[in-house]
Amino acid sequence: MSWAGKILRVNLTAGTVKSEPLNMEWARAYLGSRGLGSKYLISEIDPKVDPLSPDNKIIWATGPLTGTMASTGGRYTVITKGPLTGAIACSNSGGYWGAELKMAGWDMIIFEGKSAKPVYLYINDDDAELRDASHLWGQSVWKTEEMLKTGLQDPLLRVSSIGKSGENGVLYAAVVNDLHRAAGRSGVGAVMGSKNLKAIAVRGTKGVGNIRDPKAFMKVTFEKKKILAENAVTGQGLPAYGTQVLMNVINEMGALPTRNHRDVQFEGAKDISAEAMATPRESDGKKHLVTNQACFGCTIACGRISKMDEGHFTVANKPQYWGANGGLEYEAAWALGAANGVNDLEALQYANMLCNEEGFDPISFGATVGAVMELYEMGVLTAEQLGIDAKFGSAQALAHFAEITAKGEGFGKEIGQGSKRLTEKYGHPDLSMSVKGQEFPAYDGRAIQGIGLAYATSNRGACHLRGYTIASEVLGIPVKTDPVESEGKPELVKAFQDATAAFDSSGLCVFTTFAWGVADLAPQLQAACNEEFTTEELEKIGERIWNMEREFNNAAGFTAKDDNLPKRLLTEAAKTGASKGMVSKLPEMLPKYYAARGWDPEGRPTAETKARLSL
């Protein structure tokens, strides 16, 4: 049946670790990972709980296809109530950790309460115990992983941990595994830190052997891998250039948010693009990009491994950053670069490494720096307050802000609270480019209308991965839709959101959806689990998960007013590009979206919708 059938429940207050059977009725209704983990969380906490209180819970969850031979079967999800937004937080990561947990025989870990002192959880197949982490507290993610592998004398150990930002309460702190893969958004790492939980170290030797029909599973996964290999995006674009392939594409169409969304095109985009990463530097003749890298079971290999110019001002006296390291993804390169007007590729990589090393989200960090730079240019913030001259385009300011945010020093403490709180404090809340308190990713909602609606309605705050309409609006997958057209986008957004929820919950990577639809996922789940997982049933499961998350947010105090975009996108027209003169048409699209969802005008699922979805 592909689920391990067991979960670990860890009470940090009491120091207990107990095994309990997985609720199989819920597993059939919500699959696993995002869906099943969210079902457990929502069933066990008060929606109005303080995210950083001991009463909040945090869950690590795998999917039924995690750890199997299905392509990209290495994903896991961290689910909690998020401190950045106050909404449901559900953050997905790749690498090898998720597969290791599944191979140790566990579907999920639920943490409740708060430890009196720093601890980590050690799992070795069936054995699991809390151990003292006093020696790890204050260490970076990188050092924590090294110390655990050395101390436990196991180089094959997989570690999921927080750095200093999670300990210091950075509200967008991440949970990092395998050094540079991260459950990056919404502040899941801050919740981990609030519980004095430093790390989860896992060693699994059992494998995933309970596939329903192994021969059928091998056959169907082989067929689906062939589709990925033959697809232009998953077989060519992503392996060669990674997600950074989008930088020049999005910039040319006038959809690259620049200088805190004041502009939609960045004159320095080519300097921080995938092509720039693959071109030898003038300084030392070496390429920034060393190689690509794959997560567990992945046949796409979109990950980047990069090496900095050792003479660059950020690392000239810091040899610890000279080695090959996790490279820039498109979202991070945009947030650290175009969002701040910075076109220094090496400075972006340095800031990105600090985000990995100390565990904080480069999207929220970079977007918050964009707001800081705008406030500085307006004269609201001063060089004395910030510790540096912070005009748009300053690579020195970007590097400085990354350092002080990583350490939790000076103005870095304020940057670590995110743009919503920071701009409110200094009297200009409209300068926070966020939804529900979470900062935008790298696409402008004026130039790409569907993604603007997806941001506004995302259950975890502004997010591209909750309904990646860029696939259709820019890349023409599965059908081409006009990015500046609003008609039909409410239905498109709903379809993408529901399908993504199903893929996330299976344990596979959303990048497979460039080549696959739900009809490609269904036979893999049928062979691994059971015959109930038809295309129609998976679409319904995705819709059920979306509505369940929405119900939690509504109970937490969110209303239709929170499905909004910043004033800038609704009133300030794009200055250049194909969408010149346009604003977001969100007010037109939102009522149609609610209707397509089966919600009332206040954004609440109707009784009929809840009955149809068995909620």
Side-chain angles (χ1 to χ4, degrees), residues 246-471:
L246 286 166
M247 183 66 74
N248 286 327
V249 174
I250 300 298
N251 190 54
E252 283 162 18
M253 67 181 287
L256 190 72
T258 299
R259 289 176 283 272
N260 204 34
H261 284 69
R262 292 200 309 204
D263 303 300
V264 293
Q265 288 180 303
F266 181 38
E267 64 283 357
K270 67 181 186 306
D271 303 324
I272 59 171
S273 65
E275 292 82 353
M277 289 172 70
T279 302
R281 291 182 285 251
E282 287 183 16
S283 58
D284 62 1
K286 295 176 182 175
K287 293 178 184 178
H288 183 87
L289 181 67
V290 176
T291 184
N292 64 335
Q293 186 182 53
C295 299
F296 173 89
C298 179
T299 55
I300 300 172
C302 73
R304 306 291 93 185
I305 298 296
S306 293
K307 202 170 180 186
M308 282 190 69
D309 175 357
E310 294 173 11
H312 191 264
F313 79 88
T314 53
V315 297
N317 299 309
K318 299 171 185 171
Q320 68 268 35
Y321 298 113
W322 291 356
N325 213 299
L328 290 159
E329 307 287 354
Y330 170 60
E331 304 296 332
W334 162 78
L336 301 169
N340 308 308
V342 176
N343 68 334
D344 182 334
L345 183 64
E346 303 301 311
L348 269 56
Q349 174 65 11
Y350 175 66
N352 189 60
M353 284 197 290
L354 292 184
C355 289
N356 289 338
E357 184 183 23
E358 294 301 348
F360 56 104
D361 172 21
I363 301 178
S364 280
F365 165 72
T368 301
V369 169
V372 169
M373 287 182 169
E374 184 161 2
L375 289 167
Y376 177 78
E377 292 202 346
M378 290 165 60
V380 176
L381 293 173
T382 66
E384 288 72 32
Q385 282 172 286
L386 303 178
I388 198 165
D389 175 23
K391 291 187 181 73
F392 278 122
S394 172
Q396 287 79 8
L398 174 70
H400 170 71
F401 290 145
E403 290 166 358
I404 62 174
T405 302
K407 294 172 186 170
E409 294 174 357
F411 200 80
K413 290 179 182 174
E414 300 204 39
I415 294 173
Q417 297 303 293
S419 67
K420 182 175 185 284
R421 289 164 178 82
L422 192 148
T423 56
E424 283 174 351
K425 177 176 177 178
Y426 291 100
H428 294 272
D430 288 343
L431 296 185
S432 172
M433 299 298 117
S434 62
V435 172
K436 299 177 180 74
Q438 179 156 283
E439 288 73 17
F440 286 147
Y443 312 91
D444 196 287
R446 292 165 289 198
I448 308 175
Q449 293 289 327
I451 203 70
L453 176 62
Y455 289 163
T457 56
S458 168
N459 289 324
R460 70 166 183 173
C463 178
H464 59 299
L465 292 174
R466 284 298 179 269
Y468 193 68
T469 63
I470 303 303

Side-chain angles (χ1 to χ4, degrees), residues 440-604:
F440 286 147
Y443 312 91
D444 196 287
R446 292 165 289 198
I448 308 175
Q449 293 289 327
I451 203 70
L453 176 62
Y455 289 163
T457 56
S458 168
N459 289 324
R460 70 166 183 173
C463 178
H464 59 299
L465 292 174
R466 284 298 179 269
Y468 193 68
T469 63
I470 303 303
S472 170
E473 295 180 281
V474 177
L475 302 173
I477 300 168
V479 292
K480 183 74 175 83
T481 54
D482 186 347
V484 299
E485 179 58 61
S486 60
E487 194 61 40
K489 293 300 167 65
E491 295 77 14
L492 182 77
V493 168
K494 176 189 179 296
F496 268 86
Q497 288 172 337
D498 292 348
T500 300
F503 271 88
D504 283 348
S505 301
S506 72
L508 300 187
C509 177
V510 72
F511 283 4
T512 58
T513 60
F514 287 120
W516 294 347
V518 176
D520 295 291
L521 178 61
Q524 297 182 74
L525 283 166
Q526 287 168 2
C529 302
N530 61 50
E531 298 291 352
E532 292 174 22
F533 294 115
T534 62
T535 301
E536 295 73 26
E537 183 58 27
L538 285 177
E539 288 170 348
K540 191 173 181 181
I541 286 171
E543 189 179 4
R544 179 181 297 131
I545 292 164
W546 191 269
N547 279 267
M548 171 182 66
E549 294 170 339
R550 177 73 180 198
E551 286 269 273
F552 176 85
N553 283 355
N554 286 348
F558 287 89
T559 69
K561 292 186 181 70
D562 296 296
D563 295 336
N564 208 348
L565 293 173
K567 188 177 169 185
R568 177 163 281 169
L569 273 71
L570 298 171
T571 62
E572 296 179 27
K575 299 172 188 172
T576 59
S579 60
K580 184 178 179 180
M582 289 187 65
V583 296
S584 169
K585 297 174 185 172
L586 179 67
E588 292 174 30
M589 295 186 285
L590 196 59
K592 295 175 184 174
Y593 172 84
Y594 285 177
R597 277 255 168 244
W599 295 352
D600 68 20
E602 296 302 311
R604 296 173 300 218

